[in-house]
Amino acid sequence: MTLPQISGDFILAAHHFGVAHPPGYPLYVTAGYIWMKIFPFGNPAFRLNLLTSFIGGLAAFIVYITTFKITNFIPSAIFASGVFGFSHLIWFHSVGAEIFSLNNAFCGLLLYWTVRFQHATGHNRVKVAMEASFLSGLSMSNQHTSSLFIAVIGAWMFLSLLRDKELTMKEFILTGVAFLTGLIPYIQMPLSSFTANAPSTWGDQRTLNGIFTHVSRQEYGTFRLTASDQPSDLVGNLKTYTEDLIHELGTPTLALCILCVLVAWYFPKIREVVYVYVATVFLYVMFFCNQANIDTTKEIMKGVLERFWMQSNIVISILAGCGVWCIHEPISSRVVKCGFLNKVWYGVLCVGAVAAALLQMRENYVLCDMSSNYIMEDYGRKLLDSVPKNGVLLTEGDMPSLTARYMRYSENYRVDVDVVDQELIGFPWFKEMHKHNYKHYIFPYDREIYFKDVLARKGENYPFSYNFKDVFDVHLNAGVPLYIYPFMKHSDLEWTKHYDIVPTTMLYEVRHKSNAYSIDEFLDVAYQHEYNLQLDNCDVSIYPVRSWESVIAGSCGHTVFFPPEYAHKLLTDEKMLYMKREGRQPLERTFNLYKRAYNYLTLQDEDGQTKFLFDAQHNKNYGIIAYLLYHNIFSHTANGPEKDILLGKYGRVMVEQWEYHYTRKPVEGDPEGLKHAMEDMKKRYPDLMTNEKYQM
């Protein structure tokens, strides 16, 4: 099973006939639901991944037949479909349950119908336009980005028919009916809301207003990629797009595309279609670059944005294939006139086109091979394993929420645990649509309720509203274990006056301040759950830099260090316990937590260089614990050779970790103080870093 990015939402929706996040993607969800019923092999993720892979292959084939229909030249079709189908973005998003492959297929079909329309004559042109209108409706039932293709292609067809006086009012109305017929999959959303009782669904589509709210993405931000206030950067996004285009399809492909556009005027066979395609990709790219309110300085956000370049890459690939034909046509007709030489030239172009496809395949195979990628599944299981029996897990963010909810409600893993998304709690439809899903999650009130934090941001108020303090109250008063992952996001911080969240496992346990852990109690719990902190592989470098797998692997380093960091805090809070004789044991236990986390997340690369999978701050704090242990032993242990060796061991760890910290973050904290302490330790033990007896 591979569960990349936000596919958990689509798998859950398709598996239970629920409604996916706005705008709902009803065609993909319905197709996935039917597919899972007729193909019963494997788990839900495998089944929907397989369907998506078929659709991804279909999209590449559509690029092939579209290019061939334009040029009637096989090398052009091979080149276009090869560089497109084996590009990283297309391949990567075709092996996991995502809507992009289906959108690619529909956009490809619209481009194919553009060629059909150009080649059609007489009344057949109206028929082709009606078919294209129906396809447009279907594509809008999957993803709204295809509307930009529809706008250009539809306008061109309509104006062409008007120009040639081939469109009657009746036919115009029938074309509109065809488009509306394509929107029929949207019936899935109210059907789900009324009948499915899906354990994971978004919104309440039992009213027209609910349907409109969801379809128009009002809860995300209409015409925005995210609901954040991040402004869009047209110039920066255009630069990012250009860099991504070259990275994905290569400079030769871009050069062939530009060549095709420049010389298309001299080839009446392709001229009109090429200019329609250019207008389509221009509108698409400019619209997204202007509307994309995403911080592209972060690699993962670049990954979110680049998924929307796939549709423009379809056009670029087809135009590049036409560019191959533009080179072939004059050479074959004017230069290589001999039949034998023509065949040789044709063979050279065929070999070159196949070679381009194979180069794409070789370049991207490793990044797109998900056959052994189980990090999402491992991640979801670890999250659920960290929750005590009959507990509630409050998640924040797509990555943990969708992964944990998929494992819980589609794999039926840890059926005693309720997984509740903090993001969904804030919507007024949440209780009504989800109250039947939970065994242990308790709604603070029986009446219709609204979340205070959301209302505050909207400047609204309702008499029956609640916040997280109310949620914490009802659960802890009822004895229900309540855990948080990865953090509390909402700005309402009233709960902080009464509760702490304690990192006892991968998760944060919610505890009342009157029932706070002592250092020994906390360490007992931390040791008990330590196995849950480790994924199979947290090496960020083995995953694509812009993938969610990379984010999970990176965040794992922070998670593993949470318990020792919290123990460190308790040691310094509890009346300077680390300075007392009785503080040695909790210091040693805290040190061992640091040591295990450090060993787990420190690797040696092929060159023998140390590779850290965590922030440099943890080096510093690990060294501080070693330093505190050193002084505790120095103050409270009888003199002797064993004491001297023990002091040397902790002193060596202190020096190693602070040197690592100083190397990685030379200006952070108190570098001069650290350097002075390290120099003193090395003076006391001249052979500290070389003598094996001081090796921990």
Side-chain angles (χ1 to χ4, degrees):
M1 181 198 84
T2 160
L3 191 64
Q5 300 178 38
I6 62 169
S7 61
D9 184 41
F10 296 120
I11 300 169
L12 277 164
H15 188 209
H16 298 286
F17 201 64
V19 177
H21 64 279
Y25 312 96
L27 180 61
Y28 184 79
V29 170
T30 303
Y33 177 76
I34 295 171
W35 170 257
M36 288 189 189
K37 294 297 183 184
I38 64 177
F39 187 83
F41 305 105
N43 59 32
F46 171 78
R47 282 181 267 173
L48 199 55
N49 290 349
L50 185 62
L51 174 63
T52 306
S53 297
F54 288 152
I55 296 171
L58 175 63
F61 177 70
I62 292 169
V63 170
Y64 177 93
I65 62 174
T66 302
T67 310
F68 183 76
K69 194 166 185 67
I70 297 171
T71 63
N72 197 32
F73 191 55
I74 290 177
S76 291
I78 293 174
F79 180 85
S81 59
V83 297
F84 171 77
F86 291 116
S87 63
H88 168 253
L89 271 179
I90 302 302
W91 196 349
F92 185 74
H93 289 287
S94 294
V95 295
E98 289 278 11
I99 46 86
F100 298 107
S101 287
L102 186 56
N103 193 39
N104 293 339
F106 274 118
C107 289
L109 286 172
L110 290 171
L111 297 172
Y112 178 75
W113 250 256
T114 301
V115 188
R116 285 195 61 206
F117 181 83
Q118 186 206 28
H119 290 179
T121 57
H123 188 69
N124 284 336
R125 280 157 53 93
V126 177
K127 180 182 176 182
V128 172
M130 288 183 182
E131 294 168 353
S133 183
F134 174 70
L135 285 172
S136 298
L138 279 180
S139 67
M140 288 290 287
S141 299
N142 178 62
Q143 192 177 25
H144 293 171
T145 56
S146 59
S147 62
L148 300 169
F149 277 58
I150 295 168
V152 175
I153 294 170
W156 171 69
M157 289 184 178
F158 177 69
L159 293 174
S160 297
L161 292 172
L162 282 182
R163 179 194 63 198
D164 299 332
K165 299 180 180 179
E166 295 176 348
L167 185 66
T168 66
M169 179 57 69
K170 178 182 177 181
E171 289 166 339
F172 177 74
I173 293 172
L174 288 175
T175 302
V177 170
F179 178 81
L180 294 176
T181 304
L183 298 177
I184 285 177
Y186 277 103
I187 294 175
Q188 182 268 339
M189 296 197 303
L191 281 176
S192 172
S193 293
F194 277 112
T195 64
N197 290 327
S200 180
T201 195
W202 187 303
D204 182 357
Q205 292 80 35
R206 293 175 298 179
T207 65
L208 288 176
N209 182 60
I211 295 172
F212 179 76
T213 297
H214 200 72
V215 173
S216 61
R217 302 178 79 251
Q218 291 183 21
E219 292 162 341
Y220 262 26
T222 305
F223 299 124
R224 310 289 279 177
L225 287 188
T226 69
S228 73
D229 295 327
Q230 171 81 25
S232 58
D233 178 8
L234 175 61
V235 175
N237 288 338
L238 281 171
K239 180 182 177 183
T240 300
Y241 168 70
T242 305
E243 293 170 349
D244 186 79
L245 177 62
I246 294 173
H247 174 74
E248 287 294 321
L249 300 180
T251 303
T253 301
L254 183 58
L256 286 168
C257 172
I258 294 172
L259 173 68
C260 172
V261 174
L262 292 176
V263 304
W265 179 261
Y266 302 102
F267 298 96
K269 174 181 176 180
I270 68 171
R271 180 193 303 158
E272 191 169 9
V273 167
V274 167
Y275 291 154
V276 172
Y277 285 3
V278 169
T280 302
V281 76
F282 178 80
L283 175 64
Y284 187 93
V285 171
M286 291 303 295
F287 179 86
F288 264 100
C289 287
N290 188 58
Q291 296 299 120
N293 57 328
I294 284 180
D295 182 6
T296 54
T297 60
K298 299 176 182 177
E299 287 297 323
I300 188 60
M301 290 295 101
K302 281 186 180 179
V304 170
L305 179 59
E306 70 179 358
R307 299 177 302 177
F308 295 94
W309 302 141
M310 287 188 277
Q311 287 72 56
S312 58
N313 287 357
I314 301 172
V315 183
I316 300 297
S317 299
I318 294 174
L319 290 176
C322 294
V324 174
W325 179 81
C326 290
I327 293 174
H328 161 76
E329 184 64 15
I331 291 178
S332 63
S333 60
R334 300 175 187 176
V335 180
V336 189
K337 297 182 179 180
C338 171
F340 173 74
L341 291 178
N342 236 320
K343 290 180 180 179
V344 172
W345 171 242
Y346 181 83
V348 168
L349 290 178
C350 283
V351 171
V354 172
L358 292 176
L359 284 172
Q360 279 281 70
M361 185 188 301
R362 187 188 70 173
E363 182 74 17
N364 297 311
Y365 175 78
V366 173
L367 289 176
C368 297
D369 178 17
M370 297 289 115
S371 59
S372 58
N373 178 5
Y374 292 94
I375 187 171
M376 289 287 190
E377 182 179 11
D378 184 28
Y379 179 63
R381 290 183 187 276
K382 287 293 193 295
L383 287 175
L384 294 174
D385 284 340
S386 299
V387 183
K389 186 176 181 181
N390 299 330
V392 173
L393 173 59
L394 290 176
T395 57
E396 170 60 44
D398 287 342
M399 184 173 58
S401 298
L402 298 175
T403 307
R405 282 160 56 197
Y406 166 78
M407 294 303 301
R408 167 60 183 87
Y409 298 109
S410 281
E411 294 276 355
N412 290 322
Y413 187 76
R414 287 299 306 273
V415 295
D416 62 302
V417 173
D418 285 342
V419 181
V420 184
D421 190 339
Q422 292 182 45
E423 193 73 24
L424 300 188
I425 289 177
F427 293 106
W429 45 260
F430 175 74
K431 179 187 176 185
E432 183 63 27
M433 300 305 296
H434 286 271
K435 61 186 178 183
H436 57 275
N437 294 328
Y438 303 124
K439 300 177 181 178
H440 310 294
Y441 180 75
I442 305 169
F443 290 90
Y445 302 107
D446 293 331
R447 295 161 289 192
E448 186 177 14
I449 51 180
Y450 299 84
F451 200 65
K452 284 180 181 175
D453 185 43
V454 174
L455 298 174
R457 281 184 271 136
K458 293 182 177 180
E460 301 173 2
N461 189 29
Y462 290 87
F464 306 126
S465 59
Y466 70 99
N467 58 17
F468 274 114
K469 177 188 176 298
D470 300 320
V471 174
F472 293 176
D473 284 344
V474 294
H475 286 85
L476 269 64
N477 289 341
V480 177
L482 190 62
Y483 284 74
I484 309 294
Y485 187 85
F487 48 74
M488 297 293 297
K489 179 179 180 180
H490 290 280
S491 57
D492 174 21
L493 299 178
E494 185 180 345
W495 64 270
T496 60
K497 301 174 184 177
H498 309 275
Y499 293 93
D500 284 326
I501 52 174
V502 184
T504 51
T505 64
M506 273 185 90
L507 319 176
Y508 284 95
E509 179 188 357
V510 178
R511 291 185 72 86
H512 199 279
K513 288 183 180 291
S514 64
N515 190 31
Y517 281 120
S518 69
I519 180 62
D520 290 321
E521 289 172 335
F522 172 77
L523 288 169
D524 287 342
V525 176
Y527 271 81
Q528 178 184 349
H529 293 284
E530 188 180 9
Y531 76 98
N532 278 336
L533 295 169
Q534 300 182 1
L535 299 178
D536 289 340
N537 197 329
C538 279
D539 187 355
V540 176
S541 64
I542 69 174
Y543 304 107
V545 68
R546 297 176 185 175
S547 69
W548 287 112
E549 288 87 348
S550 176
V551 174
I552 289 175
S555 65
C556 177
H558 298 290
T559 302
V560 176
F561 274 102
F562 283 168
E565 294 283 0
Y566 190 80
H568 186 173
K569 175 179 177 293
L570 288 180
L571 279 168
T572 54
D573 283 352
E574 290 195 359
K575 300 177 181 179
M576 308 295 280
L577 177 63
Y578 64 89
M579 297 182 64
K580 303 175 182 178
R581 182 183 298 274
E582 59 269 27
R584 176 173 172 178
Q585 184 180 24
L587 274 171
E588 287 178 337
R589 297 179 74 191
T590 302
F591 177 87
N592 287 332
L593 284 178
Y594 269 110
K595 180 180 177 181
R596 293 173 189 180
Y598 174 82
N599 290 340
Y600 171 57
L601 293 168
T602 304
L603 307 177
Q604 296 291 323
D605 62 20
E606 295 178 354
D607 299 326
Q609 299 296 314
T610 302
K611 181 178 181 180
F612 300 108
L613 306 181
F614 55 86
D615 189 79
Q617 181 66 27
H618 299 308
N619 290 114
K620 178 181 177 182
N621 291 342
Y622 184 17
I624 289 174
I625 287 294
Y627 178 75
L628 296 178
L629 254 175
Y630 175 92
H631 280 282
N632 187 285
I633 294 170
F634 183 84
S635 301
H636 302 294
T637 304
N639 293 329
E642 291 185 3
K643 175 181 177 179
D644 186 64
I645 293 175
L646 200 57
L647 290 174
K649 287 183 175 182
Y650 288 117
R652 179 165 173 168
V653 172
M654 180 204 82
V655 172
E656 284 178 341
Q657 295 306 312
W658 286 356
E659 284 182 343
Y660 284 137
H661 177 269
Y662 183 76
T663 302
R664 299 175 69 192
K665 293 285 183 70
V667 297
E668 186 179 271
D670 179 18
E672 292 303 317
L674 296 183
K675 287 175 66 176
H676 181 72
M678 288 188 288
E679 289 170 0
D680 283 350
M681 188 66 68
K682 288 178 179 179
K683 288 178 181 178
R684 186 170 297 177
Y685 299 92
D687 59 347
L688 181 68
M689 308 307 293
T690 56
N691 196 325
E692 290 187 2
K693 73 178 182 179
Y694 298 133
Q695 181 69 42
M696 180 60 70

